[in-house]
Amino acid sequence: MSNAENSPHLPIEDFRNYGYQLVDWLAEYFRSIDDKRILPEISPGDIRAMLPETAPEHAEHMEDIIADLDHVVMPGMAHWQHPGWFAFFPSGVSPVSVLGEFVAAGLATQGMMWSTAPAATEIENTVLDWLVDLLGLPSSWRIDTGPGGGVLQMSASDSTHLSLVVARHHAVEAGHPTDSLVAYGSEQAHSSIEKGARIAGFRHIRSIPVDASFCLNVDAFEKQIGLDLADGLIPTWVCSAVGTTSTTAMDPIRPIAAIARDHGMWHHADAAYAGSAMICPEFRHLQDGVELVDSYTFNPHKWLLTNFDCSVFWVADRSKLINTLSILPAYLKNESSGNPAAIDYRDWHVPLGRRFRALKLWFVLRSYGAEKLRSFVRSHVDWAEELENRLALDSRFEIVAPRTLALVCFRHVGGNETTKSLANAINASGTTYLTPSVIDDTDFIRVSIGSTWTERRHIEALWELIDMNGPPSEYHL
Ligand code: PLP
């Protein structure tokens, strides 16, 4: 890069200095995050009002740009990395993943093909093969042995959409009209299932009832298939949720797989959140039968200390994926085209261009090692269990769904309004944030433990808030 005086670029020495300054800024952010108000006190439009209406015509000073992190960005931040963040599911990060992201941004390699990014491609092949073993998944999903293989994507929604596209492609190739294809998921499946199915052109999307534990009801699934067949429709795709968003319910993969196989359906597993927990062997029974699915997605960017975006998509037979997506125009042909050792990831998802996402994951897996990652996950599950026990022993509260991992779902026995008021009071503290949810007209509170900086003392503080704000009920002793 030129350092000549007339270069439009930031001089390399300035880049070095501002880079150090920004690392300091971020290090201070991580160090002091516990002291920040967890949600901003602003209204829609407040941040925009601080910004000029048009882009600058002339270059601005880096000092001014950096200063606006404090003046413009911070006032509008919902601090997902605050240790009192128990809302939604966690948005993973670690100092190490940030460093990997930083380097990947600077290298700015474009990984559409092996030939355009050999290191990025082979590191991605390798870390995803490592993860197959680390998570106890079928070794045939390893790219080095096949027939399966993994690819990094932006989000679990992308992976789910892709599995629907592959399923549709093969059903249509088999002679079934697109408008006869049916996709199935439980009533509790994530909205990305319906969205993906709609985008993939499915005209029939079935929400299957759940059982008392909010898992897909297999009898109801079979019954619906019978009705659809009777109507001349083609059961094509089904999703097993390995951890639903509302309650982390685990659909029974094995019986769903048997039905899917009988009807020649594509079976996808959505383990967006819960997949990270499979690094601990003691949780793998929750996805019993996983070796029978056709595809699987999970997000290291949720619970495996790797910042957004980093979502894994595995297929049990990669030829089905590649046959669906591969188009080789003359301008992309090169000497390695067709060489099985040179994976061209452009054939594995919708975008052509792709960034070096694997670098941060590689940094994380090496810097923590499996042992520390396991204890990270286990500590959250232990704290969730402790909180659940406290709530279960207190007659003011009731647990509304079986806890499988580090999500606790509870309500106040006083009913919906009392439960909502309790959630509002806790969130008003400014130190803690959790999200309410509703199933079958029953309001409840989700406590999702998984933020990078959360310690046991933050669960203690949360319990104090619940205890203090949970009004006595007529049952309370
Ligand atoms: N599936 C489940 C079970 C989820 O909980 C979520 C998000 O929380 C998603 C899919 C969507 O994930 P993404 O934001 O990576 O698309």
Side-chain angles (χ1 to χ4, degrees):
M1 192 185 291
S2 163
N3 270 332
E5 242 170 50
N6 62 355
S7 163
H9 308 300
L10 189 68
I12 293 300
E13 276 314 306
D14 288 2
F15 167 74
R16 195 187 304 280
N17 292 330
Y18 290 124
Y20 291 152
Q21 208 174 308
L22 284 173
V23 169
D24 282 344
W25 186 88
L26 212 43
E28 186 54 23
Y29 179 69
F30 286 150
R31 196 200 56 76
S32 62
I33 189 148
D34 212 346
D35 308 331
K36 301 197 184 306
R37 191 183 162 81
I38 201 160
L39 290 185
E41 287 181 298
I42 55 161
S43 305
D46 285 356
I47 301 299
R48 173 114 203 199
M50 288 194 260
L51 299 169
E53 291 212 345
T54 54
E57 180 63 23
H58 301 293
E60 296 187 30
H61 291 297
M62 272 308 291
E63 280 84 0
D64 296 335
I65 296 171
I66 291 175
D68 278 348
L69 289 174
D70 290 322
H71 300 142
V72 179
V73 177
M74 280 297 117
M77 282 296 295
H79 294 288
W80 279 73
Q81 303 314 326
H82 193 291
W85 186 279
F86 302 112
F88 307 105
F89 281 135
S91 170
V93 75
S94 60
V96 171
S97 81
V98 173
L99 296 177
E101 184 79 287
F102 174 74
V103 176
L107 295 177
T109 187
Q110 214 280 39
M112 58 189 176
M113 298 184 287
W114 179 88
S115 59
T116 61
T121 303
E122 294 192 17
I123 289 173
E124 183 161 334
N125 300 163
T126 306
V127 293
L128 297 189
D129 281 357
W130 286 357
L131 277 174
V132 166
D133 297 344
L134 284 175
L135 305 180
L137 296 168
S139 55
S140 57
W141 293 7
R142 286 181 61 109
I143 225 164
D144 59 354
T145 56
V151 56
L152 285 174
Q153 305 221 55
M154 182 170 69
S155 70
S157 305
D158 287 321
S159 303
T160 296
H161 169 225
L162 203 46
S163 71
L164 282 148
V165 168
V166 179
R168 183 203 60 202
H169 176 81
H170 287 96
V172 171
E173 292 265 288
H176 304 300
T178 307
D179 63 4
S180 68
L181 310 183
V182 193
Y184 304 79
S186 92
E187 279 169 355
Q188 288 297 313
H190 190 261
S191 57
S192 55
I193 306 311
E194 184 177 341
K195 193 197 254 184
R198 275 202 231 164
I199 299 170
F202 280 75
R203 299 269 302 279
H204 310 279
I205 304 166
R206 306 284 185 237
S207 277
I208 304 300
V210 291
D211 63 18
S213 300
F214 307 113
C215 307
L216 182 139
N217 180 322
V218 175
D219 292 340
F221 175 42
E222 265 193 307
K223 195 168 155 207
Q224 184 61 51
I225 287 183
L227 294 173
D228 289 332
L229 287 171
D231 281 348
L233 301 176
I234 308 296
T236 303
W237 181 94
V238 60
C239 175
S240 285
V242 179
T244 57
T245 311
S246 264
T247 67
T248 56
M250 304 282 171
D251 289 343
I253 295 183
R254 196 172 286 284
I256 294 173
I259 298 168
R261 197 178 38 234
D262 286 350
H263 295 281
M265 301 168 74
W266 185 278
H267 186 182
H268 175 66
D270 174 9
Y273 157 76
S276 297
M278 303 308 158
I279 198 163
C280 306
E282 68 270 29
F283 301 130
R284 292 182 194 156
H285 67 95
L286 295 169
Q287 57 177 21
D288 174 56
V290 71
E291 70 282 2
L292 303 171
V293 304
D294 296 297
S295 54
Y296 183 98
T297 185
F298 99 103
N299 289 347
H301 70 227
K302 279 189 160 52
W303 200 11
L304 214 56
L305 292 162
T306 309
N307 58 291
F308 192 90
D309 51 3
C310 187
S311 177
V312 185
F313 180 56
W314 275 293
V315 274
D317 177 355
R318 65 182 185 245
S319 68
K320 293 191 176 156
L321 175 64
I322 295 169
N323 292 345
T324 305
L325 300 181
S326 185
I327 300 169
L328 185 56
Y331 50 83
L332 293 178
K333 265 195 193 129
N334 60 77
E335 277 175 11
S336 63
S337 299
N339 179 342
I343 300 290
D344 285 347
Y345 272 130
R346 70 187 173 84
D347 293 334
W348 292 58
H349 51 38
V350 174
L352 171 65
R354 62 199 318 271
R355 56 201 205 82
F356 195 174
R357 289 193 185 95
L359 193 67
K360 59 191 172 191
L361 189 52
W362 190 46
F363 274 27
V364 167
L365 295 178
R366 294 177 62 189
S367 147
Y368 284 88
E371 205 180 21
K372 279 194 185 156
L373 293 172
R374 280 188 208 106
S375 53
F376 175 71
V377 167
R378 280 181 183 134
S379 60
H380 298 155
V381 177
D382 289 348
W383 300 336
E385 189 179 356
E386 285 167 20
L387 178 66
E388 179 191 38
N389 289 340
R390 273 182 152 167
L391 288 160
L393 287 172
D394 190 315
S395 58
R396 288 172 295 171
F397 307 111
E398 62 188 11
I399 301 296
V400 300
R403 183 191 53 78
T404 53
L405 292 165
L407 177 73
V408 181
C409 300
F410 76 100
R411 70 194 298 262
H412 193 279
V413 293
N416 285 350
E417 289 313 311
T418 319
T419 301
K420 279 193 271 191
S421 310
L422 173 60
N424 292 339
I426 294 168
N427 288 342
S429 69
T431 60
T432 303
Y433 183 46
L434 37 74
T435 32
S437 190
V438 187
I439 293 184
D440 296 337
D441 296 330
T442 300
D443 286 73
F444 65 96
I445 296 175
R446 294 170 77 260
V447 179
S448 164
I449 301 173
S451 285
T452 304
W453 313 107
T454 301
E455 298 170 21
R456 183 183 255 113
R457 68 191 167 92
H458 298 104
I459 317 298
E460 280 296 324
L462 168 64
W463 168 251
E464 278 164 30
L465 279 172
I466 296 173
D467 189 30
M468 194 165 71
N469 292 292
S473 78
E474 54 189 294
Y475 310 105
H476 191 218
L477 302 176

